[in-house]
Amino acid sequence: MAESREFLYPSKWLSKASAGNRVTSELRMRIISGEIESGTILSENKLAVDFAVSRSPIREALKILASENIIRLERMGAVVIGLSDKEIEEIYDVRLLIESFVFERLVRMDTNELVKELSKILEMMKVAIKYSDADEFSYQDVLFHETIIHAVNHSYILMIWNNLKPVMESFILLSMRMRFKEKYEDFTRIVKNHELYIEAIKTKDRDLMIKSFHENFDDVQVKVEDLWMSQQMLSKGVVQQND
Amino acid sequence: MAESREFLYPSKWLSKASAGNRVTSELRMRIISGEIESGTILSENKLAVDFAVSRSPIREALKILASENIIRLERMGAVVIGLSDKEIEEIYDVRLLIESFVFERLVRMDTNELVKELSKILEMMKVAIKYSDADEFSYQDVLFHETIIHAVNHSYILMIWNNLKPVMESFILLSMRMRFKEKYEDFTRIVKNHELYIEAIKTKDRDLMIKSFHENFDDVQVKVEDLWMSQQMLSKGVVQQND
DNA sequence: TCAAGTATACTTGTATACAAGTATTATAAA
DNA sequence: TTTATAATACTTGTATACAAGTATACTTGA
């Protein structure tokens, strides 16, 4: 099989990445996009052939994806879990949980530097919108929230984020690509929400932060079905990998 | 080097474990106990010799320990982070965060089955105390909290727990071993706290839960220094692994 | 036709080899 | 003695080989 095919994950984000990381990122995208359906059983050997690498990087990828909860390692083969609407809600539960926690810490800190940093990132997001660069926009969006979390310097909150981030990133990437094509008008609202978020940090207004977080969630929340439909459209020329 | 030595991690918990898992568990214990000091640089090759296995299981172990935030993978060698008092507080921050979240869900559920299960575990803990079995007690203590978290069926909260659990387990194990030797009287208080916790779940009393959680924390919180001192005592006959 | 056992084709986990890159040390030139 | 260059001893990431175990398919006997 192993034909040349497009990759879902932005190749320029992988400039210095190892084969293991490449496989991890790409496999994650294919799972979250629904291209590899939930319930599919992945074989190390088959994946090694498909990606034209040895089993070592594949094993590494499967271990990571299992720790991210999008596949389940069983005695024979890895079973794809993927993201259903339930999981997406759960991810946002956790994000709200940690971002609320972080906010409580921020309230007791000097946030001037952070606010400046976030404003810069928001400017970048606006530029990305102007040039219809969905990938760059997603990158900055994730970075925005990561920057907030980094600010409080809490290694175990950061650990949670690091576990959640790749799945978030993939989901946002797919979601934004779709919306750049179909719902361009959404982005003025997204920008406004991020402005609110910055404002909340500046004024240390907890309620405002929760409000903007929830609006952002309602906004970003694309139903998984839509995502999958859209994905199908984007990749219609692509060879399906049935063995 | 590689002399025969005692292992810190209970060998009976590893009955069917792979070499990778054994190394992971044992290395974690040595790091958390302070036997391998923070700042130490671990080499894959050296570890492979010390544990008398190949690099494959060692690599696996280092990846896992890095995701648990007790080592940091750098370009050359893995740097030990370990647990300082700060990290232990952070872990309890996260535990309080997720257990509070879980409690909110429990309040809207039928908790009869859970309460029964927890009572059973508590009985087991009492037996472990009676026979001065620190390892068994630790196992049941961790299981107690894990059971609560499992009850709400939230895959991403569970993901966080799964990331935190091994470090928690190791820390509790070391802490309890010390207290069984030195502070036996503590255990009546620990049991009482767990009874309060069950009561809080039964009556769905949020404040009681927070109260018992905090008391449990204050109780379990052993200063890292004490842990290390105690560890030195327990392993005085053991050969240090200087290369 | 069906049950029990056997062969085969998978699986995982581990060991080992090697290429490419990076520190460290040794050596030679100033 | 100091500095530049070369040799070496390490590092990581990947490929490959193999042992042990497990599911699937294929007999063979009733």
Side-chain angles (χ1 to χ4, degrees):
Chain A
M1 289 296 120
E3 315 202 14
S4 78
R5 51 131 44 232
E6 291 159 36
F7 290 106
L8 294 177
Y9 195 79
S11 54
K12 62 173 168 179
W13 296 2
L14 293 169
S15 56
K16 282 257 165 184
S18 64
N21 287 323
R22 284 164 199 279
V23 171
T24 308
S25 299
E26 184 58 24
L27 216 42
R28 189 189 290 116
M29 286 293 278
R30 294 192 195 170
I31 290 169
I32 291 174
S33 72
E35 188 185 307
I36 300 177
E37 285 173 63
S38 148
T40 308
I41 291 171
L42 300 174
S43 149
E44 288 186 4
N45 289 314
K46 219 174 283 173
L47 287 172
V49 174
D50 287 350
F51 281 95
V53 293
S54 78
R55 266 182 60 219
S56 307
I58 300 289
R59 275 180 77 78
E60 190 190 322
L62 294 184
K63 287 263 164 66
I64 292 171
L65 298 179
S67 85
E68 291 172 3
N69 219 25
I70 61 174
I71 69 172
R72 187 165 16 93
L73 260 32
E74 302 200 336
R75 277 141 291 127
M76 308 226 103
V79 182
V80 173
I81 299 173
L83 286 193
S84 70
D85 291 339
K86 176 173 180 284
E87 271 95 32
I88 290 170
E89 270 181 49
E90 288 178 345
I91 288 173
Y92 272 86
D93 284 340
V94 171
R95 278 194 56 192
L96 182 56
L97 208 55
I98 66 178
E99 296 202 25
S100 302
F101 178 88
V102 165
F103 195 85
E104 293 302 326
R105 295 281 167 115
L106 286 180
V107 166
R108 283 177 265 133
M109 287 171 58
D110 173 19
T111 54
N112 280 321
E113 271 305 307
L114 174 62
V115 165
K116 207 184 285 175
E117 186 68 19
L118 294 178
S119 303
K120 191 185 88 189
I121 295 171
L122 189 57
E123 291 296 317
M124 302 285 240
M125 288 168 74
K126 286 176 188 166
V127 175
I129 294 170
K130 197 166 139 197
Y131 290 91
S132 293
D133 188 339
D135 292 5
E136 182 63 28
F137 181 85
S138 304
Y139 176 81
Q140 300 292 344
D141 191 0
V142 172
L143 183 60
F144 185 94
H145 296 276
E146 182 165 272
T147 302
I148 296 170
I149 289 164
H150 269 109
V152 299
N153 199 33
H154 191 296
S155 53
Y156 280 78
I157 290 288
L158 192 57
M159 185 190 83
I160 297 175
W161 170 257
N162 286 336
N163 253 288
L164 215 56
K165 176 186 171 177
V167 173
M168 283 292 315
E169 184 183 75
S170 298
F171 178 66
I172 289 178
L173 210 39
L174 291 163
S175 165
M176 293 305 170
R177 280 182 194 164
M178 186 191 84
R179 287 136 69 93
F180 261 105
K181 286 209 184 293
E182 296 170 19
K183 301 186 187 175
Y184 197 82
E185 68 280 8
D186 279 8
F187 289 96
T188 51
R189 211 164 55 247
I190 296 179
V191 167
K192 197 175 254 168
N193 274 335
H194 282 79
E195 277 164 357
L196 275 185
Y197 212 119
I198 295 178
E199 188 63 22
I201 290 174
K202 202 187 287 178
T203 62
K204 313 206 163 175
D205 181 343
R206 188 171 201 284
D207 294 335
L208 186 60
M209 177 256 150
I210 302 286
K211 182 174 167 287
S212 74
F213 185 91
H214 271 118
E215 274 181 29
N216 188 244
F217 173 47
D218 296 340
D219 220 10
V220 171
Q221 196 193 28
V222 179
K223 286 275 169 277
V224 168
E225 252 177 56
D226 300 342
L227 208 63
W228 189 80
M229 293 259 295
S230 161
Q231 189 48 43
Q232 292 296 94
M233 277 176 37
L234 287 171
S235 64
K236 55 187 163 209
V238 173
V239 181
Q240 285 289 67
Q241 53 165 11
N242 351 315
D243 57 319
Chain B
M1 291 294 121
E3 317 202 14
S4 79
R5 50 128 50 231
E6 291 158 36
F7 290 105
L8 294 177
Y9 196 81
S11 55
K12 63 173 168 180
W13 295 2
L14 292 169
S15 55
K16 283 259 166 183
S18 63
N21 287 322
R22 284 166 199 279
V23 171
T24 308
S25 299
E26 184 58 22
L27 217 41
R28 189 189 292 117
M29 286 293 278
R30 294 191 195 170
I31 289 170
I32 291 175
S33 72
E35 188 185 306
I36 299 177
E37 284 174 64
S38 147
T40 308
I41 292 171
L42 301 174
S43 148
E44 287 185 5
N45 288 314
K46 220 173 283 171
L47 287 172
V49 174
D50 288 350
F51 281 96
V53 295
S54 77
R55 267 181 59 216
S56 308
I58 300 288
R59 276 181 75 78
E60 190 190 323
L62 294 184
K63 287 264 164 64
I64 293 171
L65 298 180
S67 85
E68 290 170 4
N69 218 27
I70 60 173
I71 69 172
R72 186 164 17 92
L73 260 32
E74 301 200 337
R75 276 141 291 128
M76 306 225 104
V79 182
V80 173
I81 298 174
L83 285 194
S84 70
D85 292 339
K86 176 175 180 283
E87 271 94 32
I88 290 170
E89 269 181 50
E90 289 179 345
I91 289 173
Y92 272 85
D93 284 340
V94 171
R95 277 194 56 191
L96 181 56
L97 208 55
I98 67 178
E99 294 202 27
S100 302
F101 179 88
V102 165
F103 194 85
E104 292 302 326
R105 295 280 167 115
L106 286 179
V107 165
R108 282 176 265 135
M109 288 172 56
D110 173 20
T111 54
N112 280 322
E113 270 306 307
L114 175 62
V115 166
K116 208 184 285 175
E117 186 68 19
L118 294 178
S119 303
K120 190 185 87 190
I121 295 171
L122 189 57
E123 291 295 318
M124 303 284 243
M125 288 168 74
K126 287 177 187 165
V127 174
I129 295 170
K130 198 165 137 195
Y131 291 90
S132 294
D133 188 338
D135 292 5
E136 181 65 27
F137 180 84
S138 304
Y139 176 82
Q140 299 291 343
D141 190 0
V142 172
L143 182 60
F144 185 94
H145 296 277
E146 181 165 273
T147 302
I148 295 170
I149 288 163
H150 269 112
V152 299
N153 199 36
H154 190 296
S155 51
Y156 280 79
I157 289 288
L158 193 57
M159 185 190 82
I160 297 175
W161 170 256
N162 285 336
N163 252 286
L164 216 56
K165 176 186 172 179
V167 173
M168 283 292 317
E169 185 184 73
S170 298
F171 177 68
I172 289 178
L173 208 41
L174 291 162
S175 164
M176 294 303 171
R177 280 183 194 164
M178 186 191 81
R179 288 137 70 90
F180 261 106
K181 287 208 184 290
E182 298 171 17
K183 302 185 186 176
Y184 198 83
E185 68 280 7
D186 279 9
F187 290 96
T188 50
R189 211 163 56 247
I190 295 179
V191 166
K192 196 175 256 168
N193 275 335
H194 280 80
E195 276 164 356
L196 274 186
Y197 212 120
I198 295 178
E199 187 63 22
I201 290 173
K202 203 188 286 179
T203 62
K204 314 207 164 175
D205 180 343
R206 188 169 200 283
D207 295 334
L208 186 60
M209 177 255 151
I210 301 285
K211 181 172 168 289
S212 74
F213 185 90
H214 272 118
E215 273 180 31
N216 187 245
F217 173 47
D218 296 339
D219 219 12
V220 170
Q221 196 193 27
V222 178
K223 285 276 169 277
V224 168
E225 252 176 58
D226 300 343
L227 207 63
W228 189 79
M229 294 259 295
S230 161
Q231 187 50 42
Q232 292 297 93
M233 278 176 37
L234 287 171
S235 63
K236 55 187 163 210
V238 171
V239 180
Q240 284 289 69
Q241 52 167 9
N242 352 315
D243 57 317

